[in-house]
PDB file of all heavy atoms in Angstrom:
ATOM      1  N   TYR B  35     -11.388 -28.876   2.931  1.00 90.00           N
ATOM      2  CA  TYR B  35     -10.487 -28.658   3.985  1.00 90.00           C
ATOM      3  C   TYR B  35      -8.980 -28.782   3.564  1.00 90.00           C
ATOM      4  O   TYR B  35      -8.161 -28.161   3.935  1.00 90.00           O
ATOM      5  CB  TYR B  35     -10.729 -29.568   5.220  1.00 90.00           C
ATOM      6  CG  TYR B  35     -12.103 -29.250   5.862  1.00 90.00           C
ATOM      7  CD1 TYR B  35     -13.051 -30.157   5.589  1.00 90.00           C
ATOM      8  CD2 TYR B  35     -12.234 -28.134   6.609  1.00 90.00           C
ATOM      9  CE1 TYR B  35     -14.381 -29.826   6.220  1.00 90.00           C
ATOM     10  CE2 TYR B  35     -13.405 -27.786   7.129  1.00 90.00           C
ATOM     11  CZ  TYR B  35     -14.471 -28.637   6.938  1.00 90.00           C
ATOM     12  OH  TYR B  35     -15.750 -28.246   7.486  1.00 90.00           O
ATOM     13  N   ARG B 131      -2.788  10.191 -17.190  1.00 91.00           N
ATOM     14  CA  ARG B 131      -3.260   9.104 -16.183  1.00 91.00           C
ATOM     15  C   ARG B 131      -1.940   8.533 -15.675  1.00 91.00           C
ATOM     16  O   ARG B 131      -1.824   8.246 -14.459  1.00 91.00           O
ATOM     17  CB  ARG B 131      -4.069   8.134 -16.893  1.00 91.00           C
ATOM     18  CG  ARG B 131      -4.924   7.298 -15.860  1.00 91.00           C
ATOM     19  CD  ARG B 131      -5.832   6.366 -16.520  1.00 91.00           C
ATOM     20  NE  ARG B 131      -5.087   5.355 -17.081  1.00 91.00           N
ATOM     21  CZ  ARG B 131      -5.468   4.054 -17.115  1.00 91.00           C
ATOM     22  NH1 ARG B 131      -6.667   3.689 -16.642  1.00 91.00           N
ATOM     23  NH2 ARG B 131      -4.801   3.074 -17.622  1.00 91.00           N
ATOM     24  N   TYR B 134      -0.221  10.961 -13.251  1.00 95.00           N
ATOM     25  CA  TYR B 134      -0.937  11.105 -12.035  1.00 95.00           C
ATOM     26  C   TYR B 134      -0.812   9.880 -11.120  1.00 95.00           C
ATOM     27  O   TYR B 134      -0.931   9.992  -9.927  1.00 95.00           O
ATOM     28  CB  TYR B 134      -2.456  11.425 -12.261  1.00 95.00           C
ATOM     29  CG  TYR B 134      -2.693  12.858 -12.837  1.00 95.00           C
ATOM     30  CD1 TYR B 134      -3.908  13.210 -13.220  1.00 95.00           C
ATOM     31  CD2 TYR B 134      -1.567  13.777 -12.966  1.00 95.00           C
ATOM     32  CE1 TYR B 134      -4.109  14.487 -13.786  1.00 95.00           C
ATOM     33  CE2 TYR B 134      -1.902  14.983 -13.374  1.00 95.00           C
ATOM     34  CZ  TYR B 134      -3.055  15.359 -13.833  1.00 95.00           C
ATOM     35  OH  TYR B 134      -3.353  16.626 -14.317  1.00 95.00           O
ATOM     36  N   THR B 141       7.753   3.107  -3.459  1.00 92.00           N
ATOM     37  CA  THR B 141       7.540   2.681  -2.092  1.00 92.00           C
ATOM     38  C   THR B 141       7.866   3.735  -1.062  1.00 92.00           C
ATOM     39  O   THR B 141       8.627   4.702  -1.348  1.00 92.00           O
ATOM     40  CB  THR B 141       8.327   1.419  -1.821  1.00 92.00           C
ATOM     41  OG1 THR B 141       8.068   1.004  -0.468  1.00 92.00           O
ATOM     42  CG2 THR B 141       9.816   1.694  -1.923  1.00 92.00           C
ATOM     43  N   ARG B 150      13.201  14.128   1.208  1.00 93.00           N
ATOM     44  CA  ARG B 150      14.330  14.663   1.968  1.00 93.00           C
ATOM     45  C   ARG B 150      15.183  15.500   1.036  1.00 93.00           C
ATOM     46  O   ARG B 150      15.666  16.567   1.465  1.00 93.00           O
ATOM     47  CB  ARG B 150      15.164  13.655   2.716  1.00 93.00           C
ATOM     48  CG  ARG B 150      14.473  13.208   3.899  1.00 93.00           C
ATOM     49  CD  ARG B 150      15.199  11.928   4.516  1.00 93.00           C
ATOM     50  NE  ARG B 150      16.459  12.311   5.077  1.00 93.00           N
ATOM     51  CZ  ARG B 150      17.120  11.713   6.057  1.00 93.00           C
ATOM     52  NH1 ARG B 150      16.426  10.708   6.617  1.00 93.00           N
ATOM     53  NH2 ARG B 150      18.228  12.060   6.552  1.00 93.00           N
ATOM     54  N   GLN B 312     -20.090  -1.581   3.062  1.00 78.00           N
ATOM     55  CA  GLN B 312     -20.023  -2.356   1.872  1.00 78.00           C
ATOM     56  C   GLN B 312     -21.256  -3.166   1.780  1.00 78.00           C
ATOM     57  O   GLN B 312     -21.804  -3.366   0.667  1.00 78.00           O
ATOM     58  CB  GLN B 312     -18.830  -3.334   1.939  1.00 78.00           C
ATOM     59  CG  GLN B 312     -17.507  -2.639   1.929  1.00 78.00           C
ATOM     60  CD  GLN B 312     -17.210  -2.141   0.509  1.00 78.00           C
ATOM     61  OE1 GLN B 312     -17.156  -2.958  -0.376  1.00 78.00           O
ATOM     62  NE2 GLN B 312     -17.018  -0.888   0.321  1.00 78.00           N
TER      63      GLN B 312
ATOM     64  N   LEU Y 289      -4.754  20.420 -15.701  1.00 95.00           N
ATOM     65  CA  LEU Y 289      -4.033  19.191 -15.956  1.00 95.00           C
ATOM     66  C   LEU Y 289      -2.546  19.382 -15.796  1.00 95.00           C
ATOM     67  O   LEU Y 289      -1.843  18.643 -15.206  1.00 95.00           O
ATOM     68  CB  LEU Y 289      -4.283  18.730 -17.409  1.00 95.00           C
ATOM     69  CG  LEU Y 289      -5.620  18.011 -17.687  1.00 95.00           C
ATOM     70  CD1 LEU Y 289      -5.870  17.852 -19.117  1.00 95.00           C
ATOM     71  CD2 LEU Y 289      -5.446  16.619 -17.014  1.00 95.00           C
ATOM     72  N   ARG Y 375     -18.008 -26.442   6.779  1.00 89.00           N
ATOM     73  CA  ARG Y 375     -18.072 -25.980   8.099  1.00 89.00           C
ATOM     74  C   ARG Y 375     -16.842 -25.219   8.368  1.00 89.00           C
ATOM     75  O   ARG Y 375     -15.711 -25.560   8.067  1.00 89.00           O
ATOM     76  CB  ARG Y 375     -18.086 -27.173   9.024  1.00 89.00           C
ATOM     77  CG  ARG Y 375     -19.015 -27.030  10.154  1.00 89.00           C
ATOM     78  CD  ARG Y 375     -18.947 -28.450  10.939  1.00 89.00           C
ATOM     79  NE  ARG Y 375     -20.302 -28.912  11.308  1.00 89.00           N
ATOM     80  CZ  ARG Y 375     -20.863 -28.509  12.361  1.00 89.00           C
ATOM     81  NH1 ARG Y 375     -20.385 -27.676  13.203  1.00 89.00           N
ATOM     82  NH2 ARG Y 375     -22.152 -28.981  12.661  1.00 89.00           N
ATOM     83  N   ASN Y 482       7.959  -3.743  -1.779  1.00 91.00           N
ATOM     84  CA  ASN Y 482       7.970  -2.418  -1.159  1.00 91.00           C
ATOM     85  C   ASN Y 482       7.996  -2.397   0.390  1.00 91.00           C
ATOM     86  O   ASN Y 482       8.156  -1.342   1.006  1.00 91.00           O
ATOM     87  CB  ASN Y 482       6.671  -1.694  -1.582  1.00 91.00           C
ATOM     88  CG  ASN Y 482       6.787  -1.274  -3.035  1.00 91.00           C
ATOM     89  OD1 ASN Y 482       7.828  -1.194  -3.564  1.00 91.00           O
ATOM     90  ND2 ASN Y 482       5.611  -0.985  -3.633  1.00 91.00           N
ATOM     91  N   TYR Y 512      25.333  11.089   2.702  1.00 73.00           N
ATOM     92  CA  TYR Y 512      24.543  11.769   1.652  1.00 73.00           C
ATOM     93  C   TYR Y 512      25.167  11.838   0.279  1.00 73.00           C
ATOM     94  O   TYR Y 512      25.453  12.818  -0.220  1.00 73.00           O
ATOM     95  CB  TYR Y 512      24.106  13.119   2.068  1.00 73.00           C
ATOM     96  CG  TYR Y 512      23.238  13.177   3.324  1.00 73.00           C
ATOM     97  CD1 TYR Y 512      23.825  13.253   4.546  1.00 73.00           C
ATOM     98  CD2 TYR Y 512      21.879  13.154   3.189  1.00 73.00           C
ATOM     99  CE1 TYR Y 512      23.021  13.174   5.690  1.00 73.00           C
ATOM    100  CE2 TYR Y 512      21.091  13.108   4.290  1.00 73.00           C
ATOM    101  CZ  TYR Y 512      21.697  13.061   5.561  1.00 73.00           C
ATOM    102  OH  TYR Y 512      20.817  12.974   6.673  1.00 73.00           O
ATOM    103  N   GLN Y 536      -1.016  -3.020 -16.398  1.00 76.00           N
ATOM    104  CA  GLN Y 536      -1.787  -1.968 -15.930  1.00 76.00           C
ATOM    105  C   GLN Y 536      -3.329  -2.264 -15.886  1.00 76.00           C
ATOM    106  O   GLN Y 536      -3.953  -2.180 -14.869  1.00 76.00           O
ATOM    107  CB  GLN Y 536      -1.712  -0.800 -16.842  1.00 76.00           C
ATOM    108  CG  GLN Y 536      -1.689   0.522 -16.147  1.00 76.00           C
ATOM    109  CD  GLN Y 536      -1.647   1.703 -17.079  1.00 76.00           C
ATOM    110  OE1 GLN Y 536      -2.358   2.557 -16.980  1.00 76.00           O
ATOM    111  NE2 GLN Y 536      -0.757   1.685 -18.046  1.00 76.00           N
ATOM    112  N   VAL Y 548     -14.109  -3.458  -4.317  1.00 38.00           N
ATOM    113  CA  VAL Y 548     -15.585  -3.020  -4.276  1.00 38.00           C
ATOM    114  C   VAL Y 548     -16.349  -4.234  -3.823  1.00 38.00           C
ATOM    115  O   VAL Y 548     -17.357  -3.984  -3.011  1.00 38.00           O
ATOM    116  CB  VAL Y 548     -15.929  -2.585  -5.684  1.00 38.00           C
ATOM    117  CG1 VAL Y 548     -17.524  -2.306  -5.661  1.00 38.00           C
ATOM    118  CG2 VAL Y 548     -15.228  -1.263  -6.023  1.00 38.00           C
TER     119      VAL Y 548
END
Side-chain angles (χ1 to χ4, degrees):
Chain B
Y35 294 106
R131 202 176 71 142
Y134 288 173
T141 182
R150 281 173 70 150
Q312 293 287 302
Chain Y
L289 279 169
R375 223 175 225 278
N482 288 340
Y512 297 91
Q536 221 188 128
V548 174

